[in-house]
Amino acid sequence: VRAQTYLGICYENGDKVGKNIKKAAELYRKAADKGYPRAQTNLGVCYENGRGVEKNTEKAVELYQKAAEQGNKEAQTNLGVCYDNGIGVEKNMEKAVELYRKAEQGNAKTKNS
């Protein structure tokens, strides 16, 4: 699943392969379906922005939530932004701040390790 995700990143960026956002989203989906948080986050970004898939902010939030629950800091931040701005969810500043704090705490732990 990790390899699928990194191959998806290659396709998304056109790094050593032809740029193909749809292929990237397919690879992210395969890894996300197996519960890999980075793939869930990347696929969430695809859905949030309509890159390689039809734009669906509710699906983006669902994917960010799954990854955030596994401690993925990027997903926690992205989900916080969704709550902060009412993207795919009802606007909720308290929830946004809670998610931003979780992401920051995770960053502090990583830096102190």
Side-chain angles (χ1 to χ4, degrees):
V1 291
R2 188 173 178 185
Q4 287 173 322
T5 303
Y6 284 100
L7 184 57
I9 292 168
C10 290
Y11 276 106
E12 185 174 2
N13 297 324
D15 187 21
K16 310 273 191 269
V17 294
K19 190 169 187 168
N20 186 332
I21 304 297
K22 285 187 178 187
K23 180 70 172 172
E26 287 173 27
L27 289 161
Y28 294 152
R29 180 176 293 110
K30 287 179 183 179
D33 287 348
K34 294 176 185 165
Y36 190 57
R38 181 150 187 202
Q40 291 167 332
T41 303
N42 291 2
L43 185 57
V45 171
C46 290
Y47 275 107
E48 184 178 352
N49 298 297
R51 296 193 61 193
V53 294
E54 188 173 325
K55 185 173 182 170
N56 183 334
T57 55
E58 291 83 9
K59 182 70 174 170
V61 167
E62 177 187 319
L63 288 158
Y64 292 152
Q65 183 67 46
K66 287 179 181 181
E69 287 171 359
Q70 295 181 70
N72 184 282
K73 296 179 287 291
E74 184 181 352
Q76 291 166 339
T77 301
N78 291 357
L79 187 56
V81 170
C82 289
Y83 278 104
D84 199 352
N85 296 293
I87 299 168
V89 291
E90 189 173 318
K91 194 170 185 171
N92 183 332
M93 283 303 298
E94 288 177 14
K95 184 73 173 167
V97 169
E98 175 188 327
L99 287 158
Y100 294 149
R101 285 189 175 137
K102 278 185 181 180
E104 179 55 31
Q105 288 169 354
N107 282 331
K109 287 178 187 174
T110 303
K111 290 176 185 172
N112 292 329
S113 315

